[in-house]
Amino acid sequence: MALELRPNCEWCDRDLPPASTLARICTFECTFCADCVDNNLHNVCPNCGGGFAPRRIRPSTEWRPGLSVAKRPPSSKRVHLSYSPGDIAAHTSRIKDIAPDKR
């Protein structure tokens, strides 16, 4: 199963096209921009509590049959946070000093 490649940051709604180097994801594919991960979330996913990694870029060229962004297009469904900014701040401050591999 391929990554969804969600089209936006769940915090600020910034567009994150499939080739964006600014996209960050957690293990559940919650998607945020690098600015929000660094400055608002402190590398804590507000949904699951995990850390973030750069989202992989799907090739635009079909180097192998059926494997490209054209053949396996990104999601067009925009996703937004389910939690309030205050709830997120409390959540991130509680666990931001714990390394992601220890959470």
Side-chain angles (χ1 to χ4, degrees):
M1 179 185 228
L3 291 173
E4 286 183 35
L5 299 177
R6 295 176 183 170
N8 66 303
C9 173
E10 292 182 36
W11 180 277
C12 72
D13 202 34
R14 175 188 219 161
D15 288 338
L16 295 170
S20 176
T21 58
L22 297 177
R24 302 291 181 267
I25 61 172
C26 75
T27 190
F28 292 102
E29 288 191 65
C30 301
T31 304
F32 298 88
C33 68
D35 292 336
C36 287
V37 166
D38 294 341
N39 300 315
N40 299 322
L41 302 173
H42 310 287
N43 197 35
V44 175
C45 178
N47 300 313
C48 71
F52 291 97
R55 183 179 70 190
R56 298 295 176 219
I57 295 174
R58 187 165 299 154
S60 58
T61 300
E62 189 178 353
W63 300 105
R64 299 276 190 180
L67 299 177
S68 70
V69 75
K71 297 292 182 167
R72 296 197 182 184
S75 173
S76 61
K77 180 182 175 191
R78 296 182 85 82
V79 178
H80 302 283
L81 286 168
S82 300
Y83 303 97
S84 71
D87 182 63
I88 292 168
H91 176 69
T92 58
S93 68
R94 184 174 64 243
I95 62 176
K96 71 180 180 183
D97 294 326
I98 303 169
D101 64 320
K102 304 291 186 215
R103 291 185 201 149

